[in-house]
């Protein structure tokens, strides 16, 4: 009998023995003396009800709860897979379907370099809030690695490709308004990849999430605001990239990795003022592969240092070949990697190559991209840059106006030329706001005594407007696409012939 009453005692005992119950003892006694047994019981029941409703609740068991993201408060991947598995089970039990989307921030690496860690976390927090606000109440958002999020949808009767594209566009629009961070506006765009439940390569949450991630990676490779749906072609593309990483070592040594050249024009004279090196992989069966595929394979194989040496050698060989043909194509702009900049013997290697090919150091411009700018303060990197300038090399800072190319960074790098980012060049001939921004950048560069070159000039209109705004050099598809060394000879001759045939306007007064 004692055991049968024990659960009830455990439930009521902590309530009856609370100190707050002492206040009801006089009321119960007076009710019995003045009004009788019935009123006393009514007051007693009321006291018990009040005590029950105000009882202390047990604290939640935080120790057994899965960890959450410290920046956004969202579930992490492990919990996300559990959530998605539950949604898949619900979809099967209700004869419905679900889908998973993976969204990421375009240019997240550059944005992370541009902002402080605290500011970058604040941006991610704002993105997560906007994503959650743009979805239904029962849809879930999960934080993945880096600047990526997974969106897991509550099962619905018939989600299809069109509805998923519309949802992807809605998510992109949700973060399109600039985010205010540290008294400045940061504009963001998202890439989106998604996979419908019925198109996943295998059953289960891990396969569905993985398929959405593959689609997102494909979207990220196809430019800002790209949207991609999972397909067998995307899966095959991922397999190809994996295979390329095993082939890149041989390609690097047998000459399949080659330097292509992008002409740069002087906006005052129209003559070629330089060439930029861009790498290409001339694959035996897959044709000419772009820089992104090549760099991904090199990264996976750990060959970035060897790649830098190959590009350096081919650049010097190109300078020598142009001199032998008496072609004045200016200096070569060569992107320099963090691995090369951090090499204590970098200057010795450059000096040896200059002597080997009998080329003046002034014929080389070292491009410092945003990924290497944070390294400028390091002792080895700073010493290498000073030694390169003393040797006679020129320094260019990439991404001016859209990265970490601050005034202090310009001074520490001893740069002579600034590269205006493509985002400022696009539609500069049609957008007055773009014109004002570019004019301000050019004015700042002129005030610092630096030249400017605009990257990614796509149209003749952009070329013309940049010249009017005072940008000294331009490069991009409007001038010429990247070309191998042997094609630069004919192209330069055609360009000189075109310049010679261009009428010269008379500017003499009174003419």
């Amino acid at each position: 009998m004692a055991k049968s009453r024990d659960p009830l005692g455990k439930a009521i005992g902590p309530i009856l023995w609370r100190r707050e119950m002492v206040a009801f003892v006089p009321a119960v006694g007076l009710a019995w003396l003045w009004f009788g047994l019935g009123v006393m019981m009514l007051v007693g029941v009321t006291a018990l009800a009040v005590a029950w409703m105000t009882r202390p609740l047990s604290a939640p068991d935080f120790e057994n709860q899965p960890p959450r993201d410290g920046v956004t408060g969202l579930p992490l991947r492990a919990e996300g897979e559990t959530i998605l598995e539950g949604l898949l089970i619900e979809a099967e039990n209700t004869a419905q379907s679900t889908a998973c989307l993976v969204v990421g921030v375009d240019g997240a690496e550059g944005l992370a370099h541009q902002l402080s860690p605290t500011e970058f976390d604040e941006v991610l927090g704002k993105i997560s809030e906007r994503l959650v606000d743009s979805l239904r109440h029962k849809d879930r958002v999960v934080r993945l690695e880096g600047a990526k999020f997974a969106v897991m949808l509550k099962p619905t009767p018939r989600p299809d490709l069109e509805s998923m594209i519309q949802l992807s566009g809605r998510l992109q629009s949700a973060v399109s308004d600039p985010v205010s961070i540290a008294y400045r506006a940061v504009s963001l765009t998202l890439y989106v990849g998604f996979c419908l439940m019925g198109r996943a390569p295998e059953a289960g949450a891990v396969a569905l999430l993985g398929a959405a991630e593959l689609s997102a990676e494909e979207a990220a490779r196809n430019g800002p605001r790209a949207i991609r749906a999972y397909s067998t072609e995307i899966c095959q593309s991922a397999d190809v990239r994996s295979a390329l990483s095993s082939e890149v070592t041989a390609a690097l040594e047998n000459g399949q990795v080659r330097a292509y050249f992008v002409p740069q024009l002087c906006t005052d004279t129209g003559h070629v003022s330089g060439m930029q090196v861009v790498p290409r992989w001339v694959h035996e069966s897959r044709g000419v592969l772009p820089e992104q595929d090549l760099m991904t394979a090199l990264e996976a194989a750990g060959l970035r240092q060897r790649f830098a040496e190959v590009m350096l050698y081919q650049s010097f060989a190109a300078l020598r070949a142009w001199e032998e043909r008496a072609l004045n194509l200016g200096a070569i702009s060569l992107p320099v990697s963090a691995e090369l900049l951090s090499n204590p013997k970098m200057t010795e290697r450059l000096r040896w190559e200059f002597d080997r090919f009998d080329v003046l150091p002034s014929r080389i411009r070292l491009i410092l991209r945003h990924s290497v700018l944070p390294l400028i303060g390091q002792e080895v990197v700073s010493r290498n840059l000073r030694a390169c300038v003393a040797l006679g090399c020129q320094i260019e800072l990439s991404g001016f106006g859209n990265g970490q190319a601050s005034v202090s960074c310009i001074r520490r790098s001893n740069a002579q030329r600034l590269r205006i980012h493509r985002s400022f060049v696009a539609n500069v001939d049609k957008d007055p706001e773009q014109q004002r921004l570019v004019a301000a950048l050019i004015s700042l560069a002129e005030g610092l005594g630096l030249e400017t070159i605009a990257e990614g000039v796509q149209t003749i209109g952009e070329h013309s407007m940049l010249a009017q705004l005072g940008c000294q050099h331009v490069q991009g598809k409007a001038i010429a696409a990247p070309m191998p060394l042997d094609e630069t000879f004919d192209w330069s001759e055609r360009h000189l012939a075109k310049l010679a045939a261009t009428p010269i306007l008379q500017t003499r007064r009174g003419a």
Side-chain angles (χ1 to χ4, degrees), residues 336-499:
V336 58
S337 65
E339 290 80 5
L340 186 60
L341 269 179
S342 302
N343 186 350
K345 297 184 178 181
M346 172 185 173
T347 310
E348 296 177 15
R349 177 61 188 271
L350 285 175
R351 185 181 290 109
W352 184 79
E353 295 288 1
F354 286 132
D355 293 339
R356 177 185 181 187
F357 288 95
D358 191 22
V359 170
L360 293 174
S362 58
R363 300 293 304 280
I364 288 289
R365 295 191 182 101
L366 302 177
I367 302 177
L368 306 184
R369 289 178 169 170
H370 62 79
S371 58
V372 305
L373 295 185
L375 304 178
I376 290 179
Q378 296 182 7
E379 183 178 355
V380 173
V381 174
S382 180
R383 181 171 60 84
N384 279 338
L385 289 175
R386 290 196 303 269
C388 288
V389 172
L391 194 62
C393 300
Q394 302 177 61
I395 305 294
E396 295 185 1
L397 283 187
S398 182
F400 184 49
N402 193 37
Q404 289 192 339
S406 62
V407 174
S408 61
C409 183
I410 294 171
R411 289 178 176 176
R412 284 183 295 168
S413 65
N414 297 303
Q416 291 86 35
R417 190 159 79 168
L418 302 179
R419 304 177 69 86
I420 299 176
H421 193 265
R422 165 65 190 165
S423 61
F424 294 100
V425 173
N427 298 319
V428 70
D429 55 326
K430 303 173 183 177
D431 189 344
E433 184 177 354
Q434 288 283 74
Q435 295 168 16
R436 289 190 291 270
L437 288 172
V438 172
L441 294 175
I442 294 172
S443 177
L444 175 59
E446 290 177 348
L448 296 172
L450 305 175
E451 292 186 345
T452 51
I453 178 170
E455 302 177 309
V457 180
Q458 303 286 339
T459 66
I460 299 300
E462 292 175 355
H463 182 180
S464 176
M465 178 55 67
L466 288 164
Q468 294 178 44
L469 293 174
C471 185
Q472 292 134 313
H473 307 274
V474 292
Q475 70 176 62
K477 291 183 179 179
I479 291 91
M483 64 187 79
L485 176 61
D486 55 357
E487 293 183 13
T488 62
F489 307 129
D490 292 338
W491 180 89
S492 60
E493 292 178 1
R494 292 195 305 270
H495 182 71
L496 288 173
K498 183 171 65 174
L499 286 179

Side-chain angles (χ1 to χ4, degrees), residues 99-103 159-169 172 191-201 207-222 225-238 241:
C100 180
L101 303 89
V102 171
V103 302
D160 55 16
L161 186 64
E162 182 61 31
S163 64
M164 295 302 298
I165 293 174
Q166 291 178 2
L167 175 59
S168 300
Q172 290 176 330
Y191 60 86
V192 184
F194 64 85
C195 181
L196 294 164
M197 173 181 167
R199 297 192 179 185
L208 182 56
L209 178 58
E213 287 187 289
L214 280 179
S215 304
E217 292 173 5
E218 186 69 18
R221 281 189 291 272
N222 283 271
R225 295 183 61 85
I227 299 173
R228 292 294 183 272
Y230 178 79
S231 64
T232 55
E233 289 77 11
I234 287 180
C235 185
Q236 292 170 359
S237 178
R241 289 193 298 275

Side-chain angles (χ1 to χ4, degrees), residues 36-201:
L37 184 61
V39 175
M40 182 196 73
M41 294 181 63
L42 179 61
V43 173
V45 170
T46 303
L48 289 174
V50 171
W52 176 263
M53 289 186 291
T54 59
R55 73 192 186 282
L57 299 176
S58 59
D61 187 9
F62 291 107
E63 293 183 358
N64 295 325
Q65 290 185 356
R68 292 293 180 101
D69 179 43
V71 174
T72 64
L74 295 174
L76 296 171
R77 178 184 290 271
E79 184 180 357
E81 291 175 354
T82 302
I83 293 171
L84 186 56
E85 193 67 48
L87 294 173
L88 289 172
I89 294 173
E90 180 183 347
E92 291 178 359
N93 292 339
T94 59
Q96 299 185 100
S97 185
T98 184
C100 180
L101 303 89
V102 171
V103 302
V105 179
D106 288 311
E109 182 180 353
L111 185 63
H113 287 301
Q114 181 181 353
L115 303 174
S116 69
T118 302
E119 291 172 344
F120 187 68
D121 287 345
E122 188 175 350
V123 169
L124 294 180
K126 295 287 182 64
I127 292 173
S128 67
E129 291 173 3
R130 294 183 180 184
L131 291 176
V132 171
D133 290 343
S134 64
L135 295 167
R136 299 170 301 179
H137 176 65
K138 294 187 178 181
D139 295 333
R140 302 296 300 272
V141 180
V142 173
R143 171 79 187 276
L144 301 179
E145 297 77 11
K148 296 192 302 182
F149 302 85
V151 175
M152 302 168 180
L153 303 182
K154 174 76 174 176
T156 55
R158 287 182 299 274
D160 55 16
L161 186 64
E162 182 61 31
S163 64
M164 295 302 298
I165 293 174
Q166 291 178 2
L167 175 59
S168 300
R170 190 163 73 245
L171 295 175
Q172 290 176 330
S173 299
V175 300
S176 60
D177 292 336
V179 176
S180 179
I181 300 293
Y183 304 104
R184 57 176 168 167
V186 178
S187 297
L188 303 169
T189 59
L190 295 182
Y191 60 86
V192 184
F194 64 85
C195 181
L196 294 164
M197 173 181 167
R199 297 192 179 185

